[in-house]
């Protein structure tokens, strides 16, 4: 459920008409609903109410400081994968004790900054990383809590580019090597083994792969404890999918996901950590765009928008589907015709949808891409020198610009022409 609904014939974000935001901020623009963010975060908390837990929001899904402040204020921890994300979490007011640091390529500098600033745990992804983290921590006189990310070799049944739990993926250490790696971790200075970490992929729409992976995690937990490791936390990763086609998809709910966790690892007396990203922010955001032209082509018509692949890359990158809806509501049964929805960027990949049935839309009319709150703005670029897309947060009847659109001058102002040119 989200808070983007038609009222008096116009699509609203909570109580704010999207047309008002478009008029005042311009398009393209991302618009998020605070009520939806709050609701989705709370669903995960309720799903784990049976156990001590921490919901560590995956910052990569949407890292705007206002979004992080809102979630942090609700008690969220954060899962970060870079020094930049760590700095964002801290800047949003999240204490280090609630931040976990994941990722296959942490640099010494990133490690040192997180240790200095405070960290709940590093999720270590390889033996070389273990050795370097030990060195960095020991040199700082610190003892840092770690979990080792274990790759369970489970097929997450999702898009190949976002599956992470198979042995051919670059993530984690093979589960068969886990005992050796934990033994090594226990010997190294500067490290304190506290948990096990897994993340098998993103946009999972089936609970079976989770059940399989978490079953392996439970077995491993018992084995590691028998080896003498004090495993007190299990980080289950993120990945629970969302419906991208309204009315046609019903992925499992957080509550059902929480049940799978309970059934697989619930008897181990561990604190449970989860790292949901998309499920919290995905359906809490839309990308609002205006029609520039309707171009009649040969055998197909093109609806050319002022949003492009640089603003929302998911369709070009993963063939992802986003529902596209007119902001001005059409009466039921209004005539529709197939169009290709495209942006102004100069490549054919800049296509959001082909042959989608939409009502007649005039130049200047507004459309909204649904389910665009996750991996939308964070993956945007200025390709074709299109200024970075702004972001707006709505709460009830008020809204705020939480990232302004740079002016053309600001965009150019970041470049430097050396004086020898
Ligand atoms: N934890 C780790 C270690 C991750 O790598 C990820 C996502 C998450 C948590 C959060 O997963 P989520 O709950 O959001 O599915 N750009 C792609 C998605 C990439 C996901 C990468 N890792 C997309 O637009 O679909």
């Amino acid at each position: 459920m989200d808070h983007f609904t038609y009222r008096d014939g116009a699509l609203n974000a909570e109580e704010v008409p999207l047309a008002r935001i478009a008029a005042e901020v311009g398009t393209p623009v991302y618009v998020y609903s605070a009520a939806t963010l709050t609701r989705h975060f709370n669903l995960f908390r309720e799903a784990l109410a049976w156990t001590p837990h921490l919901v560590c929001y995956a910052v990569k899904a949407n890292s705007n400081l206002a979004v992080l402040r809102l979630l942090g204020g609700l008690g969220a921890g954060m899962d970060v994968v870079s020094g930049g994300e760590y700095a964002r979490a801290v800047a949003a007011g999240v204490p280090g004790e609630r931040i976990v640091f994941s990722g296959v390529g942490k640099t010494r500098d990133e490690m040192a900054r997180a240790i200095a600033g405070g960290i709940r745990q590093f999720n270590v992804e390889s033996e070389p990383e273990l050795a370097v983290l030990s060195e960095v921590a020991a040199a700082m006189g610190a003892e840092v809590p770690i979990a080792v990310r274990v790759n369970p070799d489970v097929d997450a049944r999702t898009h190949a580019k976002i599956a992470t739990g198979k042995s051919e993926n670059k993530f984690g250490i093979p589960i068969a090597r886990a005992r050796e790696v934990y033994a090594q971790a226990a010997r190294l200075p500067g490290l304190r083994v506290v948990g096990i970490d897994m993340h098998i992929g993103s946009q999972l729409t089936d609970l079976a792969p989770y059940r399989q992976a978490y079953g392996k995690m439970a077995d491993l937990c018992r084995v590691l404890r028998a080896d003498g490791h004090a495993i007190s936390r299990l980080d289950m990763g993120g990945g629970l999918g969302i419906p991208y086609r309204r009315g046609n998809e019903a992925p499992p709910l957080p509550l059902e996901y929480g049940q799978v966790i309970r059934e697989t690892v619930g008897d181990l007396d561990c604190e449970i950590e989860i790292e949901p990203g998309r499920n919290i922010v995905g359906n809490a955001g839309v990308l609002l765009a205006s029609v520039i032209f309707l171009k009649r082509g040969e055998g197909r018509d093109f609806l050319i928008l002022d949003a492009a692949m640089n603003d929302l890359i998911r369709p070009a990158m993963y063939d992802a589907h986003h529902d596209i809806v007119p902001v001005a509501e059409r009466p039921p049964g209004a005539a529709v015709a197939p169009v290709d929805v495209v942006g102004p960027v100069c490549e054919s990949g800049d296509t959001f949808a082909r042959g989608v049935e939409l009502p007649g839309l005039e130049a200047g009319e507004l459309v909204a891409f649904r389910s665009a709150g996750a991996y939308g703005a964070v993956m945007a670029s200025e390709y074709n020198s299109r200024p970075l897309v702004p972001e707006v947060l709505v709460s009830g009847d008020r809204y705020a610009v939480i990232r302004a659109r740079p002016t053309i001058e600001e965009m150019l102002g970041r470049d430097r022409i050396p004086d020898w040119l």
Side-chain angles (χ1 to χ4, degrees), residues 44-60:
F44 280 103
R45 249 201 326 214
E46 286 159 25
L48 295 178
W50 52 272
T51 181
H53 67 269
L54 185 65
V55 179
C56 296
Y57 166 68
V59 170
K60 62 172 77 67

Side-chain angles (χ1 to χ4, degrees), residues 34 37 42 88 90-91 128 136 198 208 254 257 294 306 315-316 389 392 412:
L37 287 168
N42 284 334
R88 281 183 176 274
V90 170
V136 173
M198 261 186 198
Y257 172 65
L294 176 66
D306 64 356
V389 59
V392 161
L412 303 192

Side-chain angles (χ1 to χ4, degrees), residues 108-418:
R108 282 173 190 265
D109 182 55
E110 288 175 319
M111 293 172 181
R113 282 172 194 264
I115 294 170
I119 190 82
R120 175 179 172 84
Q121 126 203 347
F122 281 93
N123 289 333
V124 177
E125 300 231 11
S126 65
E127 290 161 272
E129 181 189 339
L130 204 58
V132 170
L133 182 61
S134 162
E135 253 177 65
V136 173
M140 294 172 73
E143 195 185 59
V144 295
I146 64 149
V148 176
R149 177 164 174 184
V150 172
N151 186 324
D153 195 21
V154 163
D155 183 357
R157 301 181 206 162
T158 184
H159 191 287
K161 286 188 184 162
I162 54 176
T164 53
K166 286 288 283 173
S167 55
E168 69 257 30
N169 302 131
K170 67 180 174 182
F171 301 96
I173 57 139
I175 196 156
R177 303 224 40 236
R179 289 179 77 183
E180 242 174 287
V181 175
Y182 272 86
Q184 188 195 347
R187 280 193 300 269
L188 288 171
L191 307 180
R192 181 160 50 89
V193 172
V194 296
I196 310 174
D197 172 45
M198 261 186 198
H199 170 76
I200 58 172
S202 193
Q203 186 53 19
L204 271 70
T205 52
D206 181 358
L207 291 174
Y210 280 125
R211 193 177 290 281
Q212 210 186 337
Y214 295 169
K216 291 189 180 193
M217 191 191 244
D219 293 343
L220 179 63
C221 180
R222 292 190 187 94
V223 169
L224 293 178
R225 280 179 170 170
D227 286 349
H229 302 287
I231 305 294
S232 61
R233 293 180 191 163
L234 299 177
D235 184 335
M236 323 301 289
L240 190 63
I242 60 170
Y244 277 101
R245 293 171 198 270
R246 238 139 256 274
N248 288 324
E249 290 172 4
L253 301 171
L255 204 61
E256 299 167 295
Y257 172 65
Q259 266 315 107
V260 170
I261 296 177
R262 187 173 197 167
E263 286 160 23
T264 48
V265 302
D267 60 343
L268 292 167
D269 195 25
C270 280
E271 183 174 5
I272 301 297
E273 298 163 333
I274 55 170
E275 303 171 351
R278 187 191 317 263
N279 209 292
I280 292 178
V281 286
N283 286 327
V286 299
L287 171 61
L288 190 57
S290 305
V291 175
I292 302 184
F293 301 118
L294 176 66
K295 175 175 172 177
R296 307 258 177 223
E298 232 170 78
R300 52 202 318 133
D301 294 339
F302 298 97
L303 192 68
I304 304 175
L305 304 180
D306 64 356
M309 63 190 290
N310 69 297
D311 305 306
L312 176 65
I313 201 161
R314 303 193 67 259
M317 193 152 174
Y318 314 109
D319 295 317
H321 169 92
H322 287 264
D323 283 349
I324 303 168
V325 297
V327 168
E329 194 175 21
R330 300 305 204 264
V336 292
V339 286
D340 286 9
V341 182
V342 301
V345 160
C346 299
E347 46 184 292
S348 300
D350 186 23
T351 298
F352 291 116
R354 283 181 212 287
V356 54
E357 300 281 349
L358 280 177
L361 284 155
E362 306 281 323
E365 272 202 75
L366 296 169
V367 297
F369 290 80
R370 309 293 311 252
S371 314
Y375 306 110
V378 283
M379 295 180 80
S381 74
E382 290 184 339
Y383 185 41
N384 277 210
S385 288
R386 297 165 42 82
L388 200 60
V389 59
E391 297 169 274
V392 161
L393 180 66
V394 173
S395 178
D397 60 4
R398 62 189 166 168
Y399 79 84
V401 175
I402 57 172
R403 175 180 288 166
R405 190 191 315 277
T407 62
I408 297 275
E409 292 68 32
E410 284 164 346
M411 184 171 71
L412 303 192
R414 294 198 308 263
D415 292 10
R416 296 284 175 272
I417 300 177

